[in-house]
Amino acid sequence: MAEEQAALSRPVRIAYGIGAVGELVFLGMFNTFITIFYNQAIGLSNALIGTAVMVSLLADAVADPAVGMISDRWRSRLGRRHPFLFVAPVPTAISLYMIFAPPAFLTDSVGSSGPDQFPLFLWLCFWTIVARLFLALYVIPHFALGGEMTKKAHERSRLFSLNAMFGYATGALFAFLAWGTFLGGTTSNAAGVTVPKHLDAAAYVPLVFFACSIVLVAILLSAWFTKSRIPFLSAPPAAQGKLSLRVYYKDLMNALGNRNYRFLMLGFFFFMISVGLNETLGVFANTYVWELKTQQMRWYGIAAVPAILLGALFAPRLMRRFDRRPVLLVAIAGVVVFAQLPIELRLLGLFPANGAKLLLPLLLMFAALTAAGLAVATVAILSMLGDIADQIELTDGLRQEGLIYSARMFFAKASNSAGHFFGGLMLDLFIRIPFGAVPGNLDSDVVFRLALTSGPIMGFAALIAMPFYARYDLTRDQHRAILDQLENKRRLAASD
């Protein structure tokens, strides 16, 4: 049994929050640029890009619960979680670099829909699978570590709040540097036409090197400076059978047998479909619907930072006053509304024209409101999962944070991959943006179809998530009673 938990010190909380920086910079690099890089800068079919992302995410999603269960059962002098935190960062950084640095012999002949696209497709598939697997080897133990570092509900909310603040704020600042410093300005394409720099493949090499460096340093710093908590963490069960597929699915189904966990995962599934669509189409919308320059796109990151900080900062206070479920529902509703409202207003002819002075400030305002809602929702969901881990410990006698957080990632990635795949298909079959498209020169029908997909269609899947989130019913008072019962059980066990 772990020693009595001491209160979390500020340096430990900060160190834990720094760990989110590595994940969010990885996701910022991958989710923002993967489609525009491979399609417009290199010439790979959007359908093949979406398929590669879907295959990698599905492979990762299947592996996630296994990583969680192995982490739950791991025995070492570094405890259950930290061995993975130290092993994962180097291969994660290397594989991310390889995604954005395909060899010239794979890219020189690409640009048509023929079989010459297949080798580059295989390269993208392989390295995205490797990168996602190693990222999961870090992220799942990192979330599980946060769930067991403290069992106090408000302190747990504050810990995940700090994690969200560090992660999303750093991701936003990374976006500012990416668009402004590395991809800012224009260049000439092969036809001699001036295009934004983010449509030039060569511009991505220093950017991805910078991103990989941040991923590596952030994860290692977090792992090193949270080591002091190892003596206070839960130990794996003394009597545990050999891990097998049967045990794997039994434990997974047992966790999903908890109704609160099941409804959270179903809500997450539909919400992440819309996130996958937004990640695939967002940079295309900024480039071809709003016709923003890269120097303008970089301000999205800066506008999001104060909104993220405020959202994550106030999330624990909101949950202390209103409980977790209503806070989550209002936050998700805000994300859905503010993420798509500019597109819908444009479709109705009620938004400023491209190039108007009010266009960028209004877009940044809606982006900030979306980011604030997303920060609140993230803190709420992660805190709910920690509470569910306590509930499952009471009913089943097992601490399974690794499995609980990994199954959440399973649902997220399965649906997110579907969103990327659907987005790729929509780009190729419905929207039909040609290779080497120049902003401002696209047919108006193409722009309309892109706007329609980026707005109402994207928002529809997120709305489906709301009824499932509404079924979560583990209240603050019920969780407090669970903690009291767990403490009584520990005291009785210690007195025997």
Side-chain angles (χ1 to χ4, degrees):
M1 178 181 292
E3 300 176 23
E4 184 69 21
Q5 283 191 330
L8 296 178
S9 65
R10 180 175 297 176
V12 169
R13 292 200 306 269
I14 291 174
Y16 180 77
I18 288 173
V21 171
E23 180 196 6
L24 267 294
V25 169
F26 177 100
L27 295 177
M29 186 71 207
F30 186 91
N31 293 339
T32 303
F33 297 112
I34 191 72
T35 305
I36 199 80
F37 172 78
Y38 270 90
N39 179 251
Q40 291 298 312
I42 293 181
L44 187 63
S45 159
N46 277 306
L48 289 179
I49 298 168
T51 301
V53 173
M54 182 181 70
V55 168
S56 68
L57 288 175
L58 287 176
D60 188 14
V62 172
D64 280 349
V67 172
M69 291 179 64
I70 293 170
S71 172
D72 285 336
R73 294 161 171 259
W74 196 264
R75 292 181 180 276
S76 76
R77 63 183 181 85
L78 290 176
R80 297 195 291 175
R81 315 300 180 189
H82 280 78
F84 301 92
L85 308 189
F86 284 112
V87 166
V90 172
T92 300
I94 291 173
S95 51
L96 178 62
Y97 182 84
M98 299 301 285
I99 290 172
F100 286 90
F105 72 87
L106 291 178
T107 62
D108 286 346
S109 60
V110 174
S112 69
S113 59
D116 59 325
Q117 299 226 333
F118 194 66
L120 183 61
F121 165 73
L122 292 179
W123 173 276
L124 178 59
C125 270
F126 175 80
W127 285 111
T128 50
I129 289 173
V130 172
R132 289 283 186 170
L133 289 178
F134 279 110
L135 182 67
L137 203 63
Y138 163 70
V139 171
I140 293 168
H142 176 70
F143 278 134
L145 176 65
E148 66 178 311
M149 281 174 72
T150 178
K151 293 181 175 63
K152 298 177 181 178
H154 184 59
E155 191 172 35
R156 179 178 284 158
S157 298
R158 291 175 62 199
L159 183 65
F160 283 122
S161 169
L162 193 62
N163 187 75
M165 288 169 64
F166 267 98
Y168 285 115
T170 305
L173 290 171
F174 170 75
F176 178 79
L177 291 174
W179 287 112
T181 302
F182 292 94
L183 301 178
T186 59
T187 187
S188 297
N189 63 15
V193 178
T194 299
V195 295
K197 199 173 180 181
H198 68 286
L199 304 181
D200 176 22
Y204 287 84
V205 176
L207 172 60
V208 72
F209 185 81
F210 176 65
C212 292
S213 301
I214 297 176
V215 169
L216 184 64
V217 172
I219 295 176
L220 289 176
L221 283 176
S222 179
W224 182 261
F225 287 103
T226 55
K227 280 200 314 169
S228 62
R229 297 299 300 180
I230 293 175
F232 304 102
L233 302 178
S234 303
Q240 52 182 352
K242 184 178 180 181
L243 184 60
S244 64
L245 282 176
R246 184 182 66 82
V247 173
Y248 170 94
Y249 287 111
K250 178 183 176 183
D251 285 0
L252 180 59
M253 291 302 105
N254 180 68
L256 290 173
N258 181 287
R259 71 177 303 279
N260 288 310
Y261 189 58
R262 186 167 62 251
F263 284 124
L264 274 187
M265 294 305 96
L266 288 171
F268 212 62
F269 178 84
F270 288 106
F271 182 69
M272 290 305 294
I273 289 178
S274 70
V275 170
L277 271 173
N278 186 56
E279 290 169 349
T280 299
L281 300 174
V283 67
F284 283 89
N286 283 336
T287 303
Y288 298 111
V289 175
W290 306 119
E291 298 177 13
L292 299 179
K293 297 179 172 59
T294 53
Q295 293 92 335
Q296 294 174 308
M297 293 184 199
R298 64 176 177 167
W299 291 107
Y300 274 85
I302 294 301
V305 170
I308 290 167
L309 294 177
L310 286 173
L313 181 65
F314 280 100
R317 301 182 185 183
L318 291 171
M319 285 185 283
R320 203 171 198 179
R321 181 172 182 181
F322 299 109
D323 219 329
R324 304 206 193 283
R325 183 178 66 177
V327 171
L328 173 62
L329 290 174
V330 172
I332 292 293
V335 170
V336 173
V337 171
F338 295 127
Q340 62 172 330
L341 192 55
I343 289 282
E344 293 185 345
L345 292 175
R346 167 57 62 87
L347 291 174
L348 294 172
L350 300 176
F351 213 68
N354 292 351
K357 291 183 178 180
L358 277 178
L359 177 67
L360 183 60
L362 286 175
L363 290 174
L364 295 180
M365 180 189 72
F366 283 110
L369 291 170
T370 302
L374 189 59
V376 173
T378 299
V379 175
I381 290 175
L382 293 177
S383 301
M384 286 171 164
L385 292 175
D387 295 348
I388 290 171
D390 296 328
Q391 188 178 40
I392 292 176
E393 181 184 10
L394 179 64
T395 56
D396 301 332
L398 295 174
R399 292 297 303 184
Q400 293 181 302
E401 288 93 348
L403 177 63
I404 288 168
Y405 284 99
S406 66
R408 162 208 175 249
M409 294 184 69
F410 173 92
F411 277 86
K413 290 173 181 177
S415 55
N416 186 261
S417 66
H420 279 281
F421 178 69
F422 182 63
L425 288 180
M426 293 293 282
L427 282 167
D428 271 4
L429 303 179
F430 176 64
I431 301 170
R432 299 194 297 275
I433 299 177
F435 291 127
V438 178
N441 292 347
L442 273 183
D443 186 273
S444 59
D445 289 340
V446 175
V447 176
F448 173 79
R449 292 193 295 268
L450 175 58
L452 184 67
T453 311
S454 303
I457 294 177
M458 181 271 296
F460 179 73
L463 287 175
I464 298 176
M466 299 290 289
F468 294 104
Y469 283 132
R471 299 294 297 275
Y472 177 92
D473 65 357
L474 180 56
T475 66
R476 179 172 49 220
D477 291 339
Q478 290 173 330
H479 181 246
R480 190 178 296 116
I482 289 171
L483 293 180
D484 290 341
Q485 293 177 66
L486 287 174
E487 183 60 29
N488 290 335
K489 289 179 64 175
R490 293 189 188 99
R491 289 174 181 172
L492 288 173
S495 63
D496 290 342

